[in-house]
Amino acid sequence: MKFSDRQTEIIEIVKEKGPITGDDIAEILGLSRATIRSDLSVLTMINILGARPKFGYFYTGKSIFSQLSQDLKSLRLKDYMSLPFSCDQKTSVYDVVVDLFMEDLSSMFITEDGYLAGIVSRKDLIRFMIGDADIKKTPVSVIMTRMPNVFYVNIEDSVYKAANLIVTKGIDSLPVVKVKNEKDLEVVGRFTKTNVTRLFVDVCDQEIV
Amino acid sequence: MKFSDRQTEIIEIVKEKGPITGDDIAEILGLSRATIRSDLSVLTMINILGARPKFGYFYTGKSIFSQLSQDLKSLRLKDYMSLPFSCDQKTSVYDVVVDLFMEDLSSMFITEDGYLAGIVSRKDLIRFMIGDADIKKTPVSVIMTRMPNVFYVNIEDSVYKAANLIVTKGIDSLPVVKVKNEKDLEVVGRFTKTNVTRLFVDVCDQEIV
């Protein structure tokens, strides 16, 4: 979206002198109020300028994309997550690795009695490779990252919250959970950087919002 | 961005009857042309409606976000990539794994005489774990994915192209290269799902475009 020269001038005037009335803007430009009416209505509609009666026009500091940001921020995890993969904590590291290979996954959620007990991340596996434990005899519970040190998100959370957690905590794969019995976490989904990357491509292709 | 009732009506009229003149739209609405002038200028400015002299208004089928999509698609890799990590193909798998652990990376680019020879991906490492080769005695060249089977992107490519490749080919980490001597690939960057996730968060936070 490109602004006309006059719209750009109006934005600059309001940035500098706002709050300012439409009449005063017109006067500075040497134009009639009627001439700039549609420019002002465009600029307020896309939220670059705000307008309040008896106050005038002011610069919001927002861009045309503030609405898109809001829309992106409101996307819900449950609509963009993947199916979870998990196994019991008594499984051997070897069997987990075979599963990861077959399913092309980077992490495996580990459960105890069906509830989230831990996660085996890429980093846990790499750490295991540096050591010399027997891969077929070591249960995954020995190498997993254990609750409460596992980052997870709730099924009601936003994609934005999950993506932010992934970036700030350096996570590959987040369990998406429902809370049962006040504290037990039932794993109902998986949200990864792959999901975010797919979403980014879809936004570029205008398939979202 | 919310349309007023009148703007929504105008869009529906143009969708149904376009191309249509402003006067005809005003007549259908029972309003004067002057009354709807700023609505028409808003709707054409944000590209929901197009307008051509002696033709009239027509519905473009584009959303307000078509411009954002274009802007996102034009982001360049060189502005969003990370520094590359690479090692020589004679390095042992053990030393590569230690490097991955220390740098918290998922993949390592492998070079020969300084140029891209292959990549050790998460999947290559997991495949190695299933076998029983000696991690300290196996050179990384044995387990790496070798050129020309390595997906890479050029420093001049877009973020969108790279993200699309990541999604469609199931890649974790793309080497970003400059072509030297017609065929040798100098690795100048690394682009991963982490970069896309960070970009997504920045778009949500309105720090991009």
Side-chain angles (χ1 to χ4, degrees), chain A residues 68-77 79 158-160 209:
Chain A
L68 176 89
S69 297
Q70 277 179 34
D71 288 350
L72 284 183
K73 276 190 174 177
S74 68
L75 299 178
R76 314 308 304 172
L77 266 183
D79 299 321
S158 67
V159 165
Y160 171 72
V209 301

Side-chain angles (χ1 to χ4, degrees), chain A:
Chain A
M1 168 154 181
K2 292 242 184 336
F3 296 121
S4 68
D5 290 347
R6 192 200 288 158
Q7 286 163 346
T8 308
E9 269 189 277
I10 291 173
I11 293 170
E12 288 310 311
I13 289 169
V14 177
K15 246 189 217 177
E16 196 187 327
K17 299 184 191 278
I20 179 172
T21 66
D23 289 332
D24 288 344
I25 298 171
E27 195 181 323
I28 291 172
L29 290 168
L31 298 167
S32 75
R33 174 66 204 269
T35 310
I36 65 168
R37 181 164 291 132
S38 72
D39 292 318
L40 287 172
S41 84
V42 165
L43 295 174
T44 49
M45 184 164 176
I46 61 179
N47 280 328
I48 290 206
L49 301 187
R52 275 209 297 273
K54 296 183 186 170
F55 182 73
Y57 292 92
F58 55 95
Y59 181 64
T60 61
K62 289 181 189 166
S63 79
I64 181 174
F65 301 119
S66 57
Q67 181 66 41
L68 176 89
S69 297
Q70 277 179 34
D71 288 350
L72 284 183
K73 276 190 174 177
S74 68
L75 299 178
R76 314 308 304 172
L77 266 183
K78 58 183 154 211
D79 299 321
Y80 296 95
M81 68 187 192
S82 300
L83 287 174
F85 287 88
S86 58
C87 62
D88 188 87
Q89 59 176 343
K90 297 185 196 77
T91 317
S92 71
V93 174
Y94 180 83
D95 286 339
V96 169
V97 168
V98 170
D99 274 1
L100 292 175
F101 183 75
M102 300 300 285
E103 302 289 347
D104 196 13
L105 299 172
S106 61
S107 314
M108 179 70 77
F109 305 145
I110 310 299
T111 51
E112 184 180 2
D113 301 329
Y115 295 115
L116 185 63
I119 183 171
V120 176
S121 68
R122 168 176 58 82
K123 199 148 190 179
D124 295 324
L125 288 174
I126 288 179
R127 193 187 291 112
F128 178 82
M129 289 181 82
I130 296 173
D132 56 4
D134 186 327
I135 190 170
K136 292 191 182 174
K137 290 183 184 155
T138 309
V140 76
S141 58
V142 171
I143 73 160
M144 72 183 186
T145 302
R146 192 176 288 273
M147 288 293 291
N149 300 318
V150 177
F151 291 100
Y152 61 88
V153 280
N154 194 288
I155 181 80
E156 298 302 329
D157 287 335
S158 67
V159 165
Y160 171 72
K161 181 182 172 180
N164 218 341
L165 203 59
I166 285 173
V167 169
T168 54
K169 304 297 181 187
I171 296 166
D172 283 334
S173 182
L174 279 170
V176 182
V177 305
K178 278 185 187 168
V179 181
K180 299 272 173 176
N181 317 321
E182 289 185 10
K183 63 171 187 45
D184 291 330
L185 303 177
E186 182 193 357
V187 181
V188 293
R190 177 169 61 98
F191 192 77
T192 69
K193 291 185 275 199
T194 306
N195 297 97
V196 182
T197 304
R198 193 172 296 128
L199 182 53
F200 177 84
V201 171
D202 286 348
V203 170
C204 286
D205 288 339
Q206 295 191 62
E207 290 176 8
I208 310 283
V209 301

Side-chain angles (χ1 to χ4, degrees), chain B residues 46-80:
Chain B
I46 62 179
N47 280 327
I48 290 207
L49 300 187
R52 274 210 298 274
K54 297 183 184 169
F55 183 72
Y57 292 91
F58 55 94
Y59 181 66
T60 61
K62 289 180 189 167
S63 79
I64 181 173
F65 301 119
S66 58
Q67 182 67 41
L68 176 91
S69 297
Q70 275 181 35
D71 288 351
L72 283 183
K73 276 190 173 176
S74 68
L75 297 178
R76 314 308 306 173
L77 265 183
K78 59 183 156 211
D79 299 320
Y80 296 94

